[in-house]
Amino acid sequence: MASDPTPLTLQALRARYGLSQAQLAEYLSVSRAQVSMAEQGRRVLPAATWAKLLPLMAVLETPAAASAAATALDATSRVALQGRLRDCTHEATRLRQELVLLRARAVRHQAVLGELLPLLRPLAAASGAPKDAAWLALREEESLREIERSGPAAQALLELRIDALDYEAGQAALRLARSVDLLS
């Protein structure tokens, strides 16, 4: 790479070190626009500028060392990652239990709206008792409110949170496994 700089070189360097175009431009003593244009292949940076990048580009040329450095975890990092894995797993389990309860509440309130109220309305109308009509109206209002809180939209959002936690836990486990492999 050092002998043949490409637009991807700058992108790779920025990605590896988390640098913005402006930060890299500042280091290179060029404008951000020059870095941007060089990354797009629309401009070539001066040789003196590339010379400043040579030590960084040498690191990019050794992917095994770069990969090991990126994935090797010290003891403190491993403990932190294990803690996050445990937290994500615990929270996802808790949310799964919450989802079961949410679905059960939604089913109960759908039954109130779809079965109980239609069955009792004719009886309440026949009795003419305002108390019966008020009771039915209250049940309907409660069920509609609960369906809004625990219905399909709420369930889908909870499922998304669970999916995100599962993904994060999986990624933490993967990184921990890679780190163990590197230590072996």
Side-chain angles (χ1 to χ4, degrees):
M1 213 184 275
S3 60
D4 186 25
T6 67
L8 294 178
T9 303
L10 292 174
Q11 293 172 0
L13 285 170
R14 288 192 322 100
R16 176 162 178 94
Y17 299 110
L19 299 172
S20 67
Q21 286 181 341
Q23 290 169 324
L24 184 59
E26 183 179 355
Y27 169 72
L28 296 174
S29 301
V30 297
S31 71
R32 190 207 57 79
Q34 286 176 294
V35 170
S36 176
M37 291 172 67
E39 283 185 2
Q40 296 170 27
R42 294 174 42 206
R43 181 178 193 144
V44 176
L45 293 174
T49 302
W50 283 110
K52 287 182 86 170
L53 293 172
L54 286 177
L56 301 175
M57 291 167 31
V59 173
L60 290 179
E61 291 175 349
T62 56
S67 175
T71 55
L73 300 173
D74 61 18
T76 304
S77 298
R78 285 187 56 76
V79 168
L81 204 50
Q82 288 167 337
R84 186 61 189 154
L85 171 59
R86 188 179 49 253
D87 292 347
C88 287
T89 304
H90 174 74
E91 182 66 5
T93 300
R94 188 188 71 73
L95 291 178
R96 280 187 183 85
Q97 293 167 348
E98 186 178 320
L99 183 59
V100 167
L101 296 174
L102 200 67
R103 287 176 176 154
R105 274 198 313 270
V107 167
R108 279 194 312 272
H109 288 280
Q110 285 290 0
V112 167
L113 292 171
E115 298 166 15
L116 183 66
L117 295 178
L119 287 172
L120 295 180
R121 274 198 183 104
L123 298 173
S127 77
K131 179 180 158 191
D132 292 344
W135 186 87
L136 288 172
L138 184 58
R139 298 294 77 75
E140 182 176 26
E141 184 182 319
E142 287 172 349
S143 291
L144 288 170
R145 228 182 4 256
E146 188 55 41
I147 291 296
E148 189 175 316
R149 281 196 304 261
S150 63
Q155 292 173 32
L157 291 172
L158 196 52
E159 289 166 352
L160 284 173
R161 289 177 59 200
I162 292 166
D163 290 346
L165 287 165
D166 285 344
Y167 178 80
E168 187 175 350
Q171 289 298 307
L174 183 63
R175 284 181 171 86
L176 284 167
R178 284 184 193 152
S179 180
V180 169
D181 290 343
L182 287 172
L183 297 175
S184 308

